[in-house]
Amino acid sequence: MTVLEQRGAYRPAPPPAWQPRRDAAPLLPDASPYRLLGTGAELDPRLLRELYEQLVRGRRYNHQATALTKQGRLAVYPSSVGQEACEVAAALALREQDWLFPSYRDTLSVVARGVDPVHALTLLRGDWHTGYDPYEHRVAPLSTPLATQLPHAVGLAHAARIKGDDVVALAMVGDGGTSEGDFHEALNFAAVWQAPVVFLVQNNGFAISVPLEKQSAAPTLAHKAVGYGMPGRLVDGNDAAAVHEVLREAVERARAGEGPTLVEAVTYRMEAHTNADDATRYRAEAELEVWREHDPIALLERELTERGELDEEGVRRAKDAAEEMAADLRERMNADPVLDPMSLFAHVYAEQTTQLREQAEQLRAELAEAEADAQTTDDGQHGQQHDGQHAGQHGQHGGAGRGEGR
């Protein structure tokens, strides 16, 4: 028996630093994902129609981009079929002055934010730098490394608040990205600084082939928010209206100076991770069938129809507009880009370093030499062709003469 275990022993009270710093209850997410569609909630019909048209357009964009990959026009395309509600809602929840920080699967959100559909695919095509000016629509470059865009979003949001700018950053990440150190660092800094930033986790079931239960033991990913001191929200990621409402509330909460929010949208990746992935190796067709019954487009179409806001003509118009977009995308992507190798050195630094100038001069010399070699080869081939034609004409004349002699 120790001294502290004896009856009447002195037991000092813990110092204040040992006590919980705040009540965790208000930060906890709901027990089940938040939903609006099919609940009879009062919803803005104009918003529902806009969401629907964007979802139909987005689904067609996904299919067209996947086809371009199979045709060799794209090096890779991470499809977001099944996740269109998250993609569209994220873009529409922001004001013009706000910033979107997408991950590599969020091309659709980038397009919904206003970026040209072709320019949004430039990175995946392997051309030039990002393909679009981030400042034009306030969309950060599509991020291929996992979760690296999250600290950038926090930094921008924190800087904007210091400057007094009315700006909120919305950062998107997948469930796999929540296992990265960048995720921890971003959420920790955001909460300590009370930065005006919203984190949207699209939990689509798999980090490539790894299911969620093999990378996180948390009750939900939204519960991770409590550990950082910010509220967590859990929402049905296929309910476009619900995702939009939750994100809009989180964005306005951040704008009001109330700090960051972590939103987990429970959705599903219906297609393979990329064209290089074989999803049949780690999931069954029966699992896909369950999620097909919860398709975000079908859910919203049913809601609009039941409310008398959508008829067959409206469905046709939405599909026709999507087809026009796909045709334009197809036509412009089928044109070979004109590439300038010297653009490798553009937009790297505001003022080129000595090393970059040396590399640029080396490349310029190599290009000039290659052009000269090509010109010499062309001249040689032209000369051989001319000699061949001359010899052929001479042979024809000689043959004619011999024929006449016989």
Side-chain angles (χ1 to χ4, degrees), residues 371-406:
E371 184 178 357
D373 290 344
Q375 183 63 43
T376 301
T377 302
D378 289 343
D379 291 344
Q381 291 176 345
H382 179 73
Q384 291 175 358
Q385 182 180 11
H386 177 75
D387 292 344
Q389 291 175 345
H390 180 74
Q393 292 172 354
H394 179 75
Q396 289 175 357
H397 291 310
R402 286 191 298 271
E404 291 171 356
R406 287 195 298 271

Side-chain angles (χ1 to χ4, degrees), residues 31-67:
S32 59
Y34 180 69
R35 296 183 176 90
L36 282 175
L37 299 181
T39 65
E42 184 177 348
L43 300 171
D44 181 358
R46 184 171 58 181
L47 173 63
L48 292 182
R49 288 194 297 270
E50 183 177 8
L51 287 168
Y52 174 73
E53 291 169 1
Q54 289 277 9
L55 291 187
V56 173
R57 184 172 184 258
R59 178 65 57 84
R60 187 65 186 90
Y61 185 90
N62 271 319
H63 288 159
Q64 185 60 68
T66 299

Side-chain angles (χ1 to χ4, degrees), residues 75-401:
V76 67
Y77 183 72
S79 172
S80 57
V81 168
Q83 301 177 221
E84 291 93 348
C86 299
E87 299 282 310
V88 169
L92 297 187
L94 297 174
R95 296 187 190 179
E96 184 178 355
Q97 71 267 28
D98 297 332
W99 274 82
L100 177 71
F101 283 78
S103 71
Y104 60 88
R105 197 178 301 280
D106 301 323
T107 313
L108 195 58
S109 190
V110 171
V111 173
R113 182 76 171 144
V115 174
D116 185 294
V118 171
H119 296 169
L121 292 174
T122 297
L123 178 69
L124 303 175
R125 195 179 194 182
D127 296 348
W128 202 54
H129 294 271
T130 302
Y132 56 87
D133 179 2
Y135 289 94
E136 182 180 0
H137 298 286
R138 300 209 163 194
V139 178
L142 284 159
S143 175
T144 301
L146 292 183
T148 55
Q149 71 276 16
L150 304 188
H152 297 165
V154 175
L156 182 141
H158 181 54
R161 191 182 66 169
I162 291 174
K163 292 169 63 179
D165 295 341
D166 180 20
V167 170
V168 174
L170 192 156
M172 305 175 72
V173 68
D175 49 290
T178 64
S179 295
E180 295 289 328
D182 295 82
F183 176 84
H184 159 73
E185 292 152 6
L187 269 70
N188 196 53
F189 272 115
V192 170
W193 289 339
Q194 288 292 282
V197 61
V198 175
F199 301 97
L200 171 60
V201 179
Q202 293 181 81
N203 176 8
N204 65 14
F206 293 91
I208 306 183
S209 59
V210 179
L212 182 63
E213 62 267 18
K214 289 190 177 181
Q215 68 157 324
S216 176
T220 70
L221 295 176
H223 276 80
K224 290 178 178 286
V226 182
Y228 297 100
M230 68 178 71
R233 294 295 308 274
L234 186 64
V235 62
D236 182 343
N238 287 19
D239 184 332
V243 178
H244 180 270
E245 180 176 299
V246 168
L247 288 178
R248 182 180 52 78
E249 289 177 354
V251 166
E252 294 311 313
R253 177 179 178 276
R255 197 183 310 281
E258 298 178 28
T261 303
L262 173 64
V263 177
E264 177 190 357
V266 182
T267 183
Y268 195 78
R269 191 192 77 219
M270 296 300 295
E271 296 186 345
H273 177 69
T274 67
N275 51 298
D277 173 42
D278 180 8
T280 62
R281 298 179 62 182
Y282 53 84
R283 66 183 185 187
E285 178 64 24
E287 187 174 323
L288 290 168
E289 285 300 325
V290 172
W291 281 94
R292 287 192 184 102
E293 295 298 318
H294 200 61
D295 183 274
I297 296 179
L299 291 178
L300 193 49
E301 189 171 297
R302 185 182 306 121
E303 183 78 20
L304 283 165
T305 302
E306 291 177 354
R307 289 173 179 258
E309 298 291 341
L310 184 68
D311 54 17
E312 292 184 1
E313 177 62 20
V315 172
R316 186 189 62 78
R317 283 198 303 269
K319 290 182 177 179
D320 287 347
E323 285 299 328
E324 289 180 11
M325 177 276 302
D328 178 69
L329 177 64
R330 197 164 53 241
E331 180 181 357
R332 291 197 286 150
M333 287 294 293
N334 281 333
D336 291 328
V338 179
L339 304 179
D340 178 11
M342 295 306 298
S343 67
L344 285 168
F345 304 97
H347 311 296
V348 180
Y349 293 100
E351 184 177 343
Q352 281 193 349
T353 63
T354 301
Q355 186 180 31
L356 277 182
R357 287 197 296 270
E358 291 174 353
Q359 293 174 355
E361 286 302 320
Q362 180 182 351
L363 178 58
R364 190 176 287 108
E366 291 176 356
L367 291 172
E369 183 180 353
E371 184 178 357
D373 290 344
Q375 183 63 43
T376 301
T377 302
D378 289 343
D379 291 344
Q381 291 176 345
H382 179 73
Q384 291 175 358
Q385 182 180 11
H386 177 75
D387 292 344
Q389 291 175 345
H390 180 74
Q393 292 172 354
H394 179 75
Q396 289 175 357
H397 291 310

